[in-house]
């Protein structure tokens, strides 16, 4: 999908200029909800990534005492989730005390030098901008898109959790290798910029996968090195739960499971 800069601007501006209301004036609903913003690795049916795949967001509800709304969608980046109005759709419905988990990175890489797939972010971790060689659109950084969405969500009274992307199969070569992408660090940069929570989901998944070993983990990847089976998604979800419990984030109060009962160690 292509979007002109004119189509993009109102969404960015409304997010950027929404006046934050004092938290005390916002009435919380009885039970908060959890909204998930992400890509195929989080999405229902693996975002259509292929038969036998599932996204981890489909498993999170089993560990929580509150409702999870999985708005993740395959193929999206922080940029395209923004440009398609998908953050705005969550901003529109979120209520004070709700939680929003934002996890991107798998589709954010690439170069804008000669082509533009509509997903690639401008390189950098701040206010850098690029011009799309395809549409002429001004393209912002991963951090910019996550910060703009996070600020608008916080202005509605939501608790924003920036989560680092999941690793591709770290056993792919037969030897365990986990090298976080730059988007892992960028997610923390975005969280720190707006005082949001940060969980290093990628590291928790990597640690679990290292402990489970090559045979078990290879079986979690039926089609490629990115998209997990339902069994793999359940483990990836548990790693997220562990990261939330270890961070003692506000969401931790809604986790049914004791920290010690969830496999793995706090990072
Ligand atoms: C937490 O407990 C529920 C059962 O109450 C279970 O379905 C879920 O998988 C557990 N989550 C984790 C992360 O162990």
């Amino acid at each position: 999908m292509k979007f002109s800069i004119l189509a993009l601007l109102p969404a960015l501006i409304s997010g950027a200029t929404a006046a934050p209301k004092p938290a005390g004036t916002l009435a919380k609903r009885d039970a908060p909800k959890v909204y998930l913003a992400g890509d195929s690795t989080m999405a229902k049916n693996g975002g259509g990534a292929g038969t036998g795949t599932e996204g981890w967001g489909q498993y999170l509800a089993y560990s929580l005492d509150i409702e999870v709304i999985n708005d993740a969608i395959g193929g999206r980046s922080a940029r395209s989730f923004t440009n398609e109005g998908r953050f705005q759709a969550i901003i529109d419905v979120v209520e004070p005390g709700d939680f929003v988990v934002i996890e991107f990175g798998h589709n954010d890489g690439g170069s804008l030098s000669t082509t533009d797939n509509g997903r690639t972010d401008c390189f950098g971790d701040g206010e850098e901008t690029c011009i799309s060689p395809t549409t002429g659109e001004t393209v912002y950084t991963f951090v910019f898109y996550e910060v703009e969405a996070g600020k608008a969500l916080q202005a509605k009274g939501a608790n924003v959790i920036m989560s680092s992307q999941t690793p591709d199969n770290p056993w792919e070569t037969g030897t365990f290798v986990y090298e976080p992408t730059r988007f892992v660090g960028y997610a923390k940069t975005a969280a720190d910029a707006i005082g949001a929570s940060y969980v290093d989901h990628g590291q928790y998944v990597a640690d679990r996968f290292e402990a489970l070993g090559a045979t078990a983990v290879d079986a979690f990847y039926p089609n490629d090195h990115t998209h997990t089976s339902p069994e793999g998604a359940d483990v990836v979800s548990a790693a997220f739960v562990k990261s939330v419990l270890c961070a003692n984030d506000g969401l931790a109060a809604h986790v049914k499971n004791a920290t010690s009962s969830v496999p793995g160690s706090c990072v």
Side-chain angles (χ1 to χ4, degrees):
M1 257 172 143
K2 294 192 180 85
F3 290 82
S4 73
I5 185 66
L6 290 178
L8 167 63
L9 274 173
L12 289 171
I13 289 166
S14 71
T17 58
K21 294 179 196 135
T25 65
L26 302 172
K28 293 189 180 185
R29 50 169 131 227
D30 291 342
K33 296 183 180 184
V34 183
Y35 292 88
L36 303 182
D39 57 35
S40 57
T41 60
M42 184 194 252
K44 185 176 183 183
N45 294 327
T51 311
T53 63
E54 186 55 283
W56 71 265
Q58 293 300 102
Y59 286 89
L60 182 58
Y62 295 107
S63 301
L64 303 181
D65 65 7
I66 51 178
E67 187 185 352
V68 175
I69 297 129
N70 191 354
D71 287 327
I73 180 153
R76 292 337 189 255
S77 65
R79 173 186 169 203
S80 62
F81 208 82
T82 300
N83 286 0
E84 294 175 4
R86 296 182 188 278
F87 277 125
Q88 191 60 51
I90 300 174
I91 294 161
D92 289 344
V93 296
V94 82
E95 293 193 21
D98 287 348
F99 297 88
V100 184
V101 180
I102 300 175
E103 185 182 293
F104 287 98
H106 284 286
N107 301 305
D108 292 77
S111 161
L112 287 166
S113 60
T114 54
T115 57
D116 179 13
N117 61 11
R119 310 171 182 184
T120 300
D121 307 316
C122 187
F123 198 90
D125 63 0
E127 301 283 324
E128 298 90 336
T129 58
C130 299
I131 301 296
S132 164
T134 308
T135 64
E137 169 194 334
T138 300
V139 181
Y140 301 89
T141 66
F142 177 93
V143 171
F144 179 91
Y145 291 117
E146 289 210 342
V147 162
E148 290 303 299
K151 281 195 295 194
L153 290 161
Q154 288 175 330
K156 296 284 301 278
N159 303 298
V160 175
I161 302 172
M162 302 296 189
S163 179
S164 65
Q165 71 169 107
T166 58
D168 288 338
N169 182 1
W171 284 106
E172 191 175 17
T173 63
T175 304
F176 182 87
V177 181
Y178 174 54
E179 286 168 358
T181 73
R182 68 181 188 275
F183 301 105
V184 168
Y186 288 173
K188 182 169 193 318
T189 302
D192 290 348
I194 58 170
S197 301
Y198 171 71
V199 292
D200 195 352
H201 188 196
Q203 186 67 57
Y204 279 83
V205 174
D207 288 354
R208 264 321 277 148
F209 281 8
E210 184 170 20
L212 287 168
T215 305
V217 172
D218 285 343
F220 290 160
Y221 291 92
N223 298 336
D224 56 37
H225 67 185
T226 302
H227 301 98
T228 57
S229 63
E231 295 74 19
D234 198 10
V235 173
V236 172
S237 175
F240 177 80
V241 170
K242 187 77 176 185
S243 73
V244 166
L245 287 166
C246 292
N248 203 14
D249 177 85
L251 186 55
H254 295 285
V255 175
K256 293 181 195 171
N257 319 70
T259 306
S260 59
S261 77
V262 182
S265 313
C266 293
V267 171

